[in-house]
Amino acid sequence: MSAGTTSAASHAAVRVTRRFGASAERVFDAWLDPGKASKWLFATGAGQMVSAEIDARVGGSFCFVDRRGGEDFVDVVHRGEYLEIDRPRRLVFTFFVETYSADVSRVIVEITPLGTGCELTLTHEKVPNDYASRTQAGWAGILDGLAGIVTPNERNHPCCT
Amino acid sequence: MRDAPPNLDSTLLALADPTRRAILQRLTRGETRVTELAEPFAISLNAVSKHIRMLERARLVRRRRAGREHFLSLDPAPLDEAAAWIDATRAFWNARLDALDAMLEAEDQAASRTRKRKGPSR
């Protein structure tokens, strides 16, 4: 599915940042090398990655199958498409967990060299199900707003801090 | 990976405005008359009503009529669902990046063992 026309500003998004001792090149390659990616990308502790196919080009797709459970196992299939590949700085792809849901997410991976290591920022956006109703409203400050609202239960809503 | 709640986009769009956020903040104190709610804002009652209607469509706010009075109250469910989705998504990616870190570490250790076995190069 192609969602390249939309700005990052119009979707619900979550952002995570992490530093690595490894170089930007090594961290970038870990996403697209099937041997490496199968060890961590959609792998779960409880499951076993039985298949990881990667067509590492713009417009190429990937498919990871994580086998979970014992005798009555379930094969959880993760599919997606690469939208941007700019080694080692930027990787953008869509994905959905075919086994459970039609919800599509867009993931933006940005890697910045930092000394001998690097810093990775990952932005996960939920792609709206209904393109027609998508508005151009900016989300900037949304998550700040969410953190500032306390429900009558007095429970804090943690968010991207 | 948690599914996004069906109204996640309308919830976050509703939150994308300072007036609407202020209205919700005020409602955390309890049910409030619409007229009272509109008071502190510099904009017209009509403009406030538009914001309120949007919050109602997003199901963040409920309306109760008592005679000619309208009372609004906060429905925390969409906020809770949005927060839960945000938490679950962050947790998912933090776990993946932990695993990436562990894999890179393991590669480094394997490389270092190989170097030690081979000894210093001449």
Side-chain angles (χ1 to χ4, degrees):
Chain A
M1 69 168 293
S2 67
T5 52
T6 58
S7 75
S10 51
H11 306 299
V14 160
R15 180 166 289 160
V16 175
T17 300
R18 184 70 66 99
R19 290 192 176 174
F20 293 94
S23 70
E25 287 77 10
R26 278 184 69 207
V27 171
F28 187 91
D29 290 345
W31 290 81
L32 296 178
D33 176 326
K36 295 180 200 280
S38 59
K39 289 182 187 158
W40 70 274
L41 182 43
F42 293 112
T44 54
Q48 190 206 350
M49 193 63 68
V50 295
S51 151
E53 294 164 0
I54 293 181
D55 180 10
R57 55 186 178 87
V58 174
S61 60
F62 62 82
C63 180
F64 287 66
V65 181
D66 187 39
R67 179 161 292 173
R68 298 179 200 167
E71 268 181 25
D72 302 322
F73 63 80
V74 173
D75 280 351
V76 181
V77 180
H78 305 74
R79 282 190 199 278
E81 181 187 333
Y82 297 107
L83 302 180
E84 291 176 45
I85 301 178
D86 180 17
R87 182 178 190 272
R89 301 239 168 197
R90 186 173 162 92
L91 175 68
V92 183
F93 60 89
T94 58
F95 87 96
F96 65 106
V97 186
E98 187 183 80
T99 311
Y100 294 127
S101 159
D103 262 19
V104 179
S105 304
R106 182 189 306 121
V107 177
I108 300 164
V109 177
E110 291 161 306
I111 302 174
T112 313
L114 206 64
T116 53
C118 66
E119 184 173 87
L120 181 151
T121 298
L122 182 147
T123 304
H124 174 119
E125 302 174 343
K126 177 192 168 283
V127 177
N129 296 326
D130 177 6
Y131 278 80
S133 70
R134 213 169 41 207
T135 70
Q136 297 307 303
W139 296 114
I142 285 290
L143 298 175
D144 291 339
L146 188 60
I149 291 169
V150 178
T151 69
N153 297 329
E154 299 295 66
R155 202 153 21 102
N156 281 324
H157 291 288
C159 69
C160 271
T161 47
Chain B
M1 175 104 291
R2 176 189 284 252
D3 250 20
N7 49 355
L8 178 68
D9 288 330
S10 59
T11 298
L12 295 184
L13 187 56
L15 291 172
D17 177 274
T19 303
R20 293 197 287 272
R21 288 200 294 275
I23 291 170
L24 291 174
Q25 194 89 45
R26 174 65 183 81
L27 290 175
T28 61
R29 298 212 288 269
E31 193 182 60
T32 310
R33 250 185 225 93
V34 174
T35 44
E36 217 177 291
L37 204 59
E39 236 167 40
F41 298 107
I43 58 179
S44 67
L45 177 59
N46 206 27
V48 176
S49 295
K50 284 188 176 143
H51 286 299
I52 290 172
R53 279 199 295 279
M54 187 178 193
L55 291 171
E56 282 181 280
R57 278 197 305 271
R59 295 173 207 253
L60 284 162
V61 152
R62 279 189 298 253
R63 183 186 294 256
R64 177 173 75 87
R65 286 173 181 77
R68 268 188 240 125
E69 302 267 29
H70 288 217
F71 294 87
L72 296 176
S73 58
L74 178 69
D75 182 352
L79 287 174
D80 287 345
E81 287 167 11
W85 177 81
I86 289 166
D87 286 347
T89 305
R90 283 175 64 76
F92 172 82
W93 284 113
N94 276 320
R96 301 297 91 242
L97 296 178
D98 284 346
L100 170 56
D101 202 23
M103 191 206 72
L104 292 167
E105 273 285 306
E107 281 184 357
D108 286 344
Q109 280 167 22
S112 139
R113 281 195 297 273
T114 308
R115 279 196 299 274
K116 283 182 183 140
R117 273 204 309 274
K118 285 182 176 165
S121 48
R122 300 199 184 282

